[in-house]
Amino acid sequence: MGTISKFGTVCFVLLIVGISMFATIDTVNAAEPLKIGFIGALSTPYGASNKAALEISIDEINEEGGILGHPVKLITEDWKREVPLAVAAYKKLVMEDKCFLVFTEGTEGTTACAQVASRLYNSYPHLQFAFWTAHAGLTDLVADEYEKYKFLFRVYSSTADAYNKALDSAGFFKNTVGSEKLALLIEDIGWTEVFRKGEKGKLPTLKEYFEKEGIPVVYYAETDIKEKMFLPMLEKAAESGADTIYWLTGYSDTVTLTKQWAQSAAKDIDLILMSGASCYAAFWQMTGGQALGASSNWPQIEIPFTAQSRTLFEKMKEKKAGMLASTYGAYDGPWIVKGAAEKAGTVNDVGKLISALEKVEIQRGFWKWKFDERHEPLKGHPYHPSLIGQFQEDGKFVLVYPPELVKITNPEATYIRSKELKKRAGQ
């Protein structure tokens, strides 16, 4: 009996130790898939691009063994740029599908979903990653009410980046373009509010910023997203003596704008566009070649950040999807979470995942990702950059900024002023 009792005691102790060791690794069944949700505007180029990049990323993660041995599954919902649909989709993904991570698009949709997430978090701990949302105030939520919004991270640019010294926006205009007098036009919409009004005690208006940096703004205007007749503003820009036009657009008709610029008195003034269709490589054809000399933020240019970049570019082409501003965060986002999970040793404890996300540094397809105290990605090479491309002879779309990435992308290219390009083309 004594021998049996000792044997039974040893077995019991080993069983308890085994259970304890298993519990410290993770309490989720290793065979159970981890679910990632995506709420996108699937009929738009950026929505389709984000979906494609997420699919590629998750397929690669699964090919490499998943996250801590768990396979990953993507569940996609279409919000059709309607906030009520985004909110309903978010609740479904978190409460019914049990997603531990949800990607959201758009300022309005992301902000509404963050409000819902803050109420759900205690009962359904999860992470929210935001892309295609530039509103500077988004991560004020994390800064002002950390415990309520600690689950929220941005994997995209912020409008506040325009003032970020590491990105040196003014330096691009002064040193790359050679701007001495600026015409500044800003689309009148929610995400540009900080540019137009500044933020008391924190950020100046963009006009004040440029003038403080030594570039006088000789013409300033705010434009409506429904505007179709840009000629009067272009004529005023030309009359002002500006040598550069910086037009911050997101939803304006940049095709019409660029065509009118090419035929106006401002045609020899350099045109830099913030975003919109101007970032697409196809913009050249869309404007009938009249984009010669025009530049755009976040150009659709293949930049070989890492050895993995070119593989991704080919896979995106197979899916007939383009590299847009939000595609970078869509592809790298799951890898960031994988790195944090490996650092935390769990996918089940979201609190530990958040702590790990606040410390981890990951590089997969593009630049190095590391978050600051606001859950914004660190900016400036080798971290999150500001990319600018220019349409040159025969529609060639070349990267012209930042210089560190120009060297590895198209080292023979430099920014060429619009007047010179048109002179070469006989225009």
Side-chain angles (χ1 to χ4, degrees), residues 152-171:
L152 177 63
F153 292 81
R154 193 200 307 258
V155 283
Y156 191 66
S157 296
S158 162
T159 45
D161 290 348
Y163 308 97
N164 193 314
K165 291 187 181 298
L167 297 177
D168 194 21
S169 294

Side-chain angles (χ1 to χ4, degrees), residues 139 142 153 357-358 370-378:
T139 52
V142 179
F153 292 81
L357 281 167
E358 293 171 340
K370 186 174 176 60
F371 294 104
D372 64 17
E373 67 280 358
R374 297 171 62 85
H375 292 181
E376 290 277 349
L378 293 187

Side-chain angles (χ1 to χ4, degrees), residues 35-153:
K35 297 175 184 176
I36 292 178
F38 167 50
I39 302 172
L42 302 182
S43 62
T44 65
Y46 58 86
S49 176
N50 293 336
K51 180 175 180 288
L54 279 167
E55 289 171 343
I56 293 167
S57 179
I58 288 170
D59 284 347
E60 290 177 355
I61 286 173
N62 285 333
E63 288 169 6
E64 294 188 18
I67 298 179
L68 294 181
H70 304 289
V72 183
K73 179 181 179 182
L74 179 67
I75 303 174
T76 301
E77 299 287 340
D78 191 350
W79 76 297
K80 300 178 182 177
R81 291 202 60 83
E82 294 182 19
V83 172
L85 290 180
V87 169
Y90 199 92
K91 289 179 179 178
K92 172 189 174 292
L93 289 169
V94 173
M95 299 172 70
E96 297 179 24
D97 297 319
K98 303 296 191 295
C99 292
F100 86 113
L101 166 65
V102 181
F103 285 86
T104 56
E105 282 180 348
T107 298
E108 300 86 353
T110 289
T111 305
C113 288
Q115 300 299 327
V116 172
S118 69
R119 297 191 292 270
L120 293 177
Y121 181 80
N122 288 335
S123 299
Y124 301 91
H126 66 284
L127 302 167
Q128 181 185 3
F129 271 28
F131 49 35
W132 205 262
T133 172
H135 190 270
L138 177 65
T139 52
D140 285 347
L141 297 171
V142 179
D144 297 341
E145 298 182 80
Y146 176 82
E147 284 302 321
K148 188 176 179 181
Y149 294 101
K150 60 187 177 182
F151 57 83
L152 177 63
F153 292 81

Side-chain angles (χ1 to χ4, degrees), residues 354-416:
I354 291 171
S355 295
L357 281 167
E358 293 171 340
K359 300 179 182 68
V360 74
E361 181 171 293
I362 295 294
Q363 186 171 24
R364 171 69 182 187
F366 307 108
W367 50 82
K368 291 182 179 179
W369 292 90
K370 186 174 176 60
F371 294 104
D372 64 17
E373 67 280 358
R374 297 171 62 85
H375 292 181
E376 290 277 349
L378 293 187
K379 305 295 166 65
H381 185 79
Y383 299 101
H384 197 292
S386 174
L387 307 173
I388 301 175
Q390 184 185 32
F391 288 98
Q392 297 185 355
E393 292 98 331
D394 301 318
K396 188 176 181 181
F397 206 8
V398 300
L399 190 71
V400 293
Y401 189 84
E404 300 91 345
L405 296 177
V406 171
K407 289 177 183 177
I408 66 169
T409 306
N410 38 229
E412 76 291 345
T414 57
Y415 183 89
I416 302 172

Side-chain angles (χ1 to χ4, degrees), residues 212-223:
K212 184 179 178 181
E213 293 293 324
I215 307 176
V217 176
V218 293
Y219 174 63
Y220 174 81
E222 295 180 10
T223 62

